[in-house]
Amino acid sequence: MSENYDIIVIGGGPGGYPTAIRAAQLGMKTLCIDSWINTDGTQSFGGTCLNAGCIPSKALLESSELYHRAQHEFAVHGIGVGEVKLDLKKMQERRTAVSKANSGGVKMLFQGNKVTGLFGFGKLLGGGKVGYKSHDGKEETFTAKHIVIATGSEPVNLKIAPVDKDRIIDSWGALELAEVPETLGIIGAGVIGVELGSVWSRLGAKTTILEALPGFLPMVDQAIAKEGLKQLTKQGLDIKFGAKVLNAKAGKKDVTVEYEQDGKKETIKFDKLIVAVGRRPFTKDLGCDVAGVQLDERGFVKTDAHYKTSAEGIYAVGDVIGGAMLAHKAIEEGVVLAEQLHGEKSEVNYRTVPSVVYTNPEIAWAGMSEEQAKAAGHEVKTGSSPFAANGRARAMESIVGMIKIISDAKTDRVLGVHMIGPYVSELVTEAVTAMEYGATTEDIQLTMHAHPTLSETFHEAALAVDGHAIHSANKRKPAAA
Ligand code: FAD
Ligand code: AMP
């Protein structure tokens, strides 16, 4: 029997499940097939993000931050808590529960929106057909007018440091450690590397990150990245730049890592080593060749501006098509694709995709850095304001960081906003909204911000662009009245 659907989505992560939900809302008969299996053997929707990415990492970042604060920050508020003890088993149980609650939510949303959700593997068979195989071996073939590939990504493996799931682990393994390693090595000081490094360092691991590039977060405005590195170093993270790992060998008791820095070979030993060198598209056994779906030289599914692949009736969204490998980018693409298939004129604005590093302080940005804006030929004017000049930040005892606005000197249009400080993961959305509406810095200057709030620093940064900041020093001379 081959049941016919309007749309079949392969993959139930942030790319797939919103595609399915939006398609069903728009009246399409929808099937979503997802193959995720957790390490405890359970199956759940939500993909990498909910099960082994965004959500569990944020759960651990929150718990480890509270542990750190109870030890180091409560006293200044006049709170004594005695000896602060770590119950890692409980912390990990909470992390699992948070993931399961979120993925259970997707299952409920499927039911509420009349999406048929199936756990198992989906395969392109060509001619509008999808083969389905459940994890216990049940097989079926379905047909659909539209098929969407949302199979996501997996961690990049390094041949020189093969993951053995014991001494050498990937980001998923790093979320599920049952003990705090005494010494922890991480290859890669990208977003995932520094977030995982922060978690385990706060919980007591002596943490070293080896990064091949010469500098920190090259995609972030360097004034912000510099402050981020200063704070992470102060917290005890040892980040070695220009340190290219040559090989890693797991022994019974530890891992020996050989790396090259400044032309010299060095050797270092760790209890555990996390390989966090990026993610690559996942299309294994998907049947792209059978269905005529072309991949690019890096393995990403090739699509046009409407997410259409080289095969008639087959589309793709999320990590598997490349670009920013972020959950919200995948969600937007999925929703937009479903609407386009329904005949609507939706589109994703890739100029305003926000990015966040959930360290403490958080780092967040949207749009161009000063360096990128200049390289793109803009004459820029910038303004920045420190959280040290913000009353709410002082009340929170969280004054590290700043917000920097980069504007076009001729049009005053905001080109980018880069920030570091408390809750900038939330504040960055104000910048995205401003840029989405094509705001100038003057528009932001004229927008009233509640007092006392962290968002006043965004307002002040906009005022500083014209030398009008009230609560902080102006680097620019005031514009003539
Ligand atoms: P995925 O989430 O990978 O989902 C793909 C799904 O498809 C999976 O469930 C997979 O099992 C399934 N699948 C694959 N092949 C098949 C098949 N043939 N049949 C059926 N199912 C299949 N992003 C953020 O925006 N914010 C963050 O804070 C953040 N933190 C992260 C932290 C970590 C540690 C990691 C690893 C990633 C993080 N990300 C974060 C990235 C984010 O997880 C991804 O960008 C996002 O999950 C991409 O969604 P996706 O649906 O394209 O792919
Ligand atoms: P991201 O792609 O943001 O997850 O970051 C991964 C980081 O890993 C990049 O900054 C790479 O430069 C770094 N990286 C990749 N391979 C190596 C290596 N062999 N040694 C050290 N760093 C590496």
Side-chain angles (χ1 to χ4, degrees):
M1 256 289 278
S2 107
E3 189 168 354
N4 186 43
Y5 285 87
D6 293 321
I7 181 167
I8 298 176
V9 183
I10 305 178
Y17 79 76
T19 312
I21 290 173
R22 191 70 189 116
Q25 285 173 350
L26 293 165
M28 293 181 232
K29 186 179 171 197
T30 307
L31 170 67
C32 180
I33 303 171
D34 188 78
S35 63
W36 189 272
I37 304 181
N38 296 298
T39 43
D40 63 5
T42 55
Q43 301 171 31
S44 49
F45 294 112
T48 306
C49 176
L50 268 53
N51 298 297
C54 329
I55 300 302
S57 62
K58 266 77 257 178
L60 285 185
L61 279 156
E62 190 67 26
S63 298
S64 58
E65 178 61 15
L66 289 177
Y67 177 67
H68 177 89
R69 282 203 177 153
Q71 290 177 96
H72 303 287
E73 293 179 19
F74 279 16
V76 78
H77 292 271
I79 306 169
V81 287
E83 193 195 342
V84 179
K85 285 192 192 141
L86 174 66
D87 183 345
L88 184 59
K89 187 165 175 278
K90 195 160 184 185
M91 197 179 274
Q92 290 291 33
E93 282 166 5
R94 190 192 83 94
R95 189 252 312 146
T96 308
V98 169
S99 280
K100 284 196 189 296
N102 276 288
S103 53
V106 174
K107 205 171 181 182
M108 274 164 47
L109 290 170
F110 276 181
Q111 282 159 6
N113 286 285
K114 298 197 167 50
V115 172
T116 304
L118 288 179
F119 290 125
F121 201 80
K123 202 176 170 96
L124 302 168
L125 301 176
K129 286 199 207 105
V130 172
Y132 162 76
K133 191 170 182 183
S134 71
H135 294 308
D136 55 12
K138 206 177 107 202
E139 291 195 49
E140 235 173 302
T141 302
F142 301 107
T143 55
K145 188 171 168 204
H146 309 300
I147 297 168
V148 181
I149 302 169
T151 51
S153 62
E154 61 178 351
V156 169
N157 268 324
L158 290 179
K159 277 202 183 111
I160 50 150
V163 167
D164 63 5
K165 297 195 178 178
D166 177 25
R167 292 280 159 203
I168 307 181
I169 53 181
D170 61 17
S171 58
W172 191 357
L175 291 168
E176 303 205 342
L177 286 176
E179 279 172 33
V180 180
E182 237 171 77
T183 54
L184 175 68
I186 300 177
I187 312 180
V191 178
I192 293 176
V194 293
E195 287 187 5
L196 291 171
S198 292
V199 166
W200 294 107
S201 153
R202 287 170 194 166
L203 297 180
K206 187 176 176 312
T207 304
T208 306
I209 307 185
L210 302 166
E211 169 56 60
L213 294 176
F216 189 45
L217 300 178
M219 62 294 207
V220 182
D221 192 281
Q222 284 305 292
I224 303 293
K226 201 172 139 207
E227 182 64 27
L229 179 59
K230 187 173 136 196
Q231 296 305 326
L232 292 177
T233 306
K234 229 166 128 183
Q235 288 162 22
L237 280 177
D238 178 11
I239 310 184
K240 298 186 192 303
F241 292 99
K244 187 168 168 39
V245 174
L246 303 174
N247 65 70
K249 286 201 180 74
K252 276 210 172 117
K253 285 193 185 149
D254 51 25
V255 191
T256 307
V257 178
E258 195 185 18
Y259 65 97
E260 189 175 87
Q261 196 179 25
D262 300 327
K264 272 200 307 195
K265 279 190 187 163
E266 308 273 355
T267 302
I268 189 167
K269 283 182 190 290
F270 303 110
D271 290 339
K272 297 269 181 193
L273 177 71
I274 304 173
V275 180
V277 294
R279 298 185 62 81
R280 62 170 179 220
F282 184 81
T283 53
K284 194 165 172 264
D285 299 330
L286 184 61
C288 289
D289 45 349
V290 174
V293 172
Q294 280 175 13
L295 309 181
D296 72 12
E297 61 287 351
R298 292 164 64 210
F300 290 103
V301 173
K302 276 193 198 172
T303 57
D304 69 9
H306 299 285
Y307 309 106
K308 196 173 175 317
T309 70
S310 51
E312 190 58 37
I314 304 184
Y315 302 81
V317 294
D319 278 11
V320 79
I321 68 167
M325 288 169 113
L326 293 169
H328 43 276
K329 174 260 191 193
I331 294 171
E332 290 294 313
E333 287 176 348
V335 169
V336 162
L337 170 60
E339 292 176 351
Q340 287 181 353
L341 293 176
H342 189 247
E344 293 174 29
K345 286 203 170 98
S346 299
E347 62 176 12
V348 176
N349 181 357
Y350 288 99
R351 287 187 305 277
T352 59
V353 178
S355 297
V356 179
V357 190
Y358 293 82
T359 43
N360 183 6
E362 293 179 342
I363 300 168
W365 66 98
M368 287 187 256
S369 64
E370 182 173 349
E371 297 84 11
Q372 289 161 348
K374 283 180 176 163
H378 289 276
E379 192 189 323
V380 301
K381 51 179 188 170
T382 67
S384 58
S385 183
F387 282 102
N390 180 297
R392 183 74 187 278
R394 286 237 168 242
M396 292 165 63
E397 204 67 41
S398 230
I399 58 164
V400 169
M402 61 173 157
I403 295 183
K404 175 170 173 180
I405 299 187
I406 300 101
S407 298
D408 185 287
K410 291 193 189 110
T411 63
D412 194 35
R413 277 271 168 97
V414 177
L415 299 171
V417 183
H418 291 228
M419 34 180 95
I420 177 167
Y423 297 110
V424 293
S425 54
E426 302 294 334
L427 297 180
V428 74
T429 305
E430 184 174 353
V432 171
T433 308
M435 288 194 289
E436 187 65 41
Y437 283 87
T440 60
T441 50
E442 189 186 28
D443 291 325
I444 301 166
Q445 291 167 2
L446 295 171
T447 305
M448 198 184 294
H449 286 69
H451 175 76
T453 60
L454 298 171
S455 71
E456 285 174 289
T457 297
F458 184 59
H459 188 224
E460 282 283 313
L463 291 168
V465 171
D466 287 324
H468 298 163
I470 302 292
H471 300 91
S472 50
N474 287 292
K475 285 208 180 112
R476 289 171 65 90
K477 286 208 176 87

